[in-house]
Amino acid sequence: EMFRHCLPPTWHPMATAPKDGTVVLGLVKGSDIPHPMRWAGDWWKSSWDSHDFFHDEPWCWMAIPDSPNPNDLNSGD
């Protein structure tokens, strides 16, 4: 568990995605760009620039990784 953040993200079938309002990354059929989305009762909902999109057929999902600790990031120097 201590090194969980070091493991590569894993994609899962949508049938296993949480439907409790948790935001996940989802891949929509025909796209190679993951979208943050959450279950909205009957559809998967994502937003972009204050526009809501509803998806009925995302095909896989993964958990959103934790944000990095700013102290751990390379400053580029």
Side-chain angles (χ1 to χ4, degrees):
E1 184 64 25
M2 178 193 299
F3 298 104
R4 182 178 64 86
H5 67 281
C6 298
L7 298 173
T10 303
W11 290 101
H12 306 281
M14 285 309 290
T16 65
K19 292 188 174 180
D20 61 359
T22 300
V23 177
V24 299
L25 289 178
L27 276 178
V28 177
K29 290 180 181 179
S31 178
D32 61 354
I33 301 169
H35 298 271
M37 56 181 61
R38 73 176 78 224
W39 182 248
D42 293 319
W43 305 91
W44 288 95
K45 177 182 173 183
S46 61
S47 298
W48 185 267
D49 290 338
S50 300
H51 298 283
D52 291 337
F53 301 94
F54 295 89
H55 307 285
D56 60 349
E57 295 189 45
W59 65 279
C60 62
W61 73 279
M62 76 165 58
I64 294 179
D66 294 334
S67 298
N69 180 333
N71 297 326
D72 293 340
L73 296 176
N74 184 345
S75 65
D77 294 333

